[in-house]
Amino acid sequence: MKVSAIISEYNPFHNGHKYHIDETKRLTEADYVIAIMSGNFVQRGAPAIRNKYERSFYALPFLDAVFEIPTIYSVSNAGDYAMGAVSLIDSLKTATHLSFGIESGDIDSFKKIADIITKEPADFKSSLLDHIKEGLSYPRARSMALSDTMGKEAESLISSPNNILAVEYIAALQKLDSNIIPVPVVRKGSYTNNNPGYGFLSASSIRNMLKNGEDIRSHIPATDKVINKGSCLLSNESLDSLLSYKLSVISNKSDEEKYNELHSDKEDDIHEMSGDMFKRLISIGPVTGFDECVERLKSKSITYTRASRALINLILGIKENDFKVITKKSYSHYANLLGLKKSSSNVLKYIYDNSDIPIINKKSDYRPKTDEAKLMRKYDLLASDIYNILYKDKTGITLPRELSSNVTLLE
């Protein structure tokens, strides 16, 4: 059995995603394609515009099953996001291929870069440290260090978010010594409202169109007849009140916890040398909302996305020490099933028979057996509760709590 896995957000699912799945099936001759998808909060540091079960539903016409990336990884930096997702896929002991989108390049070039960032040879690490000391953000410093080590072509290759994630996925496969075959799919063009081109409109541009009340029907599959008619769109503005509360707590020093992605005392993590956001957050003074806070946090060494992720981790209460505990022995502790195509039940049975980790199907029945799984589950449940509160504030509609939710089944 050939099973291809895709790491995704589907925020929202659009024609480019359908193309990626179609190309994955063509290139790998897969019998089944499964997605590992971010939950209710996404990697750029924001709430998803739709809840995870709804996004799963609109992806399932083109997939066979959808599993959730645990919250602590879906709101982490690219390295931890990739390691969390790839580790989950590898633990299922089902996937033969991992498919991901790229802007350009070839698999051998990506493998060479992944090898460098995984092994960190002395010349690369020295260059990386030098650029961080210049005040550059970690992503920019790493890009410059790769250029110093491998030439300008390497720097150019990881200039786009998709290519950066591609390198991280391959690096994660290498660290896990996985037998899964990486399969890059070159995107068929990409453009934004401000930068017209060919191919498929980007997810961020589609979100902007929805925010502005524009018609997006030509950019999404015809199976999605809801989102264009005013489906709930959560955004950073939805987080303003929660952030204000959290900022008041840490400003009054009534909270002495250290939050993941926010503090910078990880001496063993060179990434954390590129800016102490907690000190900066305390010093910026009153802000009117999430977006203003991000704008005032960002700097030469702190990117907009990193600042957004740090604030999401603060809002969700994800503790730095808890992250260390969860990931000390392994990154994967269970797989939460979000959606399944009924005609593809064979692949789920295959996963059950082969997986190294528990599969959560009926949510209320799962009982974590390790401290790591308990901590991870705690944050998944909390993220769902917080998302449901935000959704009710905007729509007046109460969504089911996670333990009462059912797997999305598509006939």
Side-chain angles (χ1 to χ4, degrees), residues 199-321:
F200 303 108
L201 195 65
S202 66
S204 61
S205 292
I206 292 174
R207 290 193 296 271
N208 287 333
M209 289 179 69
L210 285 166
K211 186 177 180 180
N212 296 330
E214 299 176 53
D215 192 333
I216 65 164
R217 281 176 293 184
S218 62
H219 305 295
I220 61 173
T223 47
D224 189 345
K225 296 179 172 32
V226 176
I227 196 167
N228 202 58
K229 298 179 181 178
S231 178
C232 176
L233 300 176
L234 294 188
S235 65
N236 288 347
E237 293 175 1
S238 308
L239 301 167
D240 289 350
S241 296
L242 279 174
L243 179 62
S244 295
Y245 166 71
K246 277 291 190 177
L247 290 178
S248 69
V249 171
I250 63 172
S251 296
N252 293 326
K253 297 184 178 179
S254 56
D255 183 355
E256 297 181 355
E257 294 284 358
K258 294 181 178 179
Y259 292 93
N260 196 49
E261 295 281 324
L262 183 59
H263 289 80
S264 62
D265 65 347
K266 300 179 185 177
E267 294 179 0
D268 60 334
D269 190 347
I270 198 171
H271 178 275
E272 297 300 323
M273 296 176 64
S274 60
D276 188 334
M277 260 187 294
F278 183 76
K279 292 177 182 177
R280 191 175 179 85
L281 183 62
I282 293 296
S283 67
I284 62 175
V287 293
T288 58
F290 189 95
D291 287 334
E292 183 192 349
C293 190
V294 173
E295 286 291 342
R296 293 175 66 177
L297 266 180
K298 73 175 187 176
S299 64
K300 184 179 179 181
S301 63
I302 300 172
T303 65
Y304 186 97
T305 302
R306 186 179 172 211
S308 297
R309 279 199 306 270
L311 294 181
I312 288 289
N313 275 266
L314 175 64
I315 288 170
L316 296 179
I318 299 177
K319 307 296 193 298
E320 181 185 72
N321 190 60

Side-chain angles (χ1 to χ4, degrees), residues 153-172:
E153 184 180 346
E155 180 185 0
S156 175
L157 197 61
I158 63 165
S159 61
S160 73
N162 282 300
N163 282 10
I164 291 171
L165 283 173
V167 169
E168 296 290 0
Y169 295 150
I170 295 170

Side-chain angles (χ1 to χ4, degrees), residues 309-349:
R309 279 199 306 270
L311 294 181
I312 288 289
N313 275 266
L314 175 64
I315 288 170
L316 296 179
I318 299 177
K319 307 296 193 298
E320 181 185 72
N321 190 60
D322 285 351
F323 188 94
K324 290 178 179 178
V325 169
I326 291 169
T327 58
K328 185 175 182 180
K329 297 177 183 176
S330 171
Y331 268 65
S332 58
H333 303 288
Y334 57 75
N336 187 31
L337 180 66
L338 297 179
L340 175 71
K341 188 181 290 179
K342 282 190 174 181
S343 60
S344 305
S345 57
N346 282 347
V347 73
L348 183 60
K349 182 181 184 303

Side-chain angles (χ1 to χ4, degrees), residues 3 34 65 67 92-94 346-357 359:
V3 179
I34 63 174
F67 293 88
L92 293 178
K93 300 305 176 189
T94 300
N346 282 347
V347 73
L348 183 60
K349 182 181 184 303
Y350 189 79
I351 290 170
Y352 268 114
D353 290 343
N354 291 278
S355 179
D356 284 345
I357 54 177
I359 308 301

Side-chain angles (χ1 to χ4, degrees), residues 29-270:
E29 299 180 337
D31 300 299
Y32 299 98
V33 178
I34 63 174
I36 314 300
M37 188 184 78
S38 295
N40 288 328
F41 294 88
V42 295
Q43 206 256 338
R44 64 189 177 91
I49 63 173
R50 290 169 136 171
N51 76 74
K52 58 191 180 184
Y53 291 103
E54 191 175 6
R55 288 175 13 251
S56 171
F57 177 81
Y58 287 106
L60 275 174
F62 314 99
L63 294 163
D64 296 291
V66 181
F67 293 88
E68 180 181 9
I69 300 173
T71 301
I72 64 164
Y73 305 132
S74 71
V75 295
S76 284
N77 61 73
D80 285 325
Y81 173 85
M83 190 64 182
V86 173
S87 178
L88 191 157
I89 294 167
D90 190 65
S91 295
L92 293 178
K93 300 305 176 189
T94 300
T96 52
H97 300 80
L98 171 61
S99 174
F100 45 83
I102 61 171
E103 306 294 341
S104 60
D106 59 84
I107 190 67
D108 289 336
S109 297
F110 283 111
K111 284 181 177 179
K112 288 176 183 176
I113 294 174
D115 196 54
I116 291 289
I117 67 171
T118 299
K119 295 178 179 176
E120 289 193 333
D123 55 344
F124 168 78
K125 194 163 186 177
S126 175
S127 178
L128 178 60
L129 282 167
D130 288 343
H131 290 303
I132 285 177
K133 289 174 182 176
E134 292 170 5
L136 299 180
S137 67
Y138 179 80
R140 181 60 183 153
R142 189 172 72 167
S143 177
M144 295 289 287
L146 284 169
S147 177
D148 296 339
T149 307
M150 301 179 66
K152 286 288 183 183
E153 184 180 346
E155 180 185 0
S156 175
L157 197 61
I158 63 165
S159 61
S160 73
N162 282 300
N163 282 10
I164 291 171
L165 283 173
V167 169
E168 296 290 0
Y169 295 150
I170 295 170
L173 289 172
Q174 292 177 350
K175 291 173 185 176
L176 293 166
D177 194 24
S178 174
N179 292 323
I180 296 172
I181 302 168
V183 180
V185 174
V186 179
R187 296 180 69 180
K188 188 179 178 182
S190 178
Y191 66 97
T192 65
N193 291 347
N194 298 324
N195 181 29
Y198 72 96
F200 303 108
L201 195 65
S202 66
S204 61
S205 292
I206 292 174
R207 290 193 296 271
N208 287 333
M209 289 179 69
L210 285 166
K211 186 177 180 180
N212 296 330
E214 299 176 53
D215 192 333
I216 65 164
R217 281 176 293 184
S218 62
H219 305 295
I220 61 173
T223 47
D224 189 345
K225 296 179 172 32
V226 176
I227 196 167
N228 202 58
K229 298 179 181 178
S231 178
C232 176
L233 300 176
L234 294 188
S235 65
N236 288 347
E237 293 175 1
S238 308
L239 301 167
D240 289 350
S241 296
L242 279 174
L243 179 62
S244 295
Y245 166 71
K246 277 291 190 177
L247 290 178
S248 69
V249 171
I250 63 172
S251 296
N252 293 326
K253 297 184 178 179
S254 56
D255 183 355
E256 297 181 355
E257 294 284 358
K258 294 181 178 179
Y259 292 93
N260 196 49
E261 295 281 324
L262 183 59
H263 289 80
S264 62
D265 65 347
K266 300 179 185 177
E267 294 179 0
D268 60 334
D269 190 347
I270 198 171

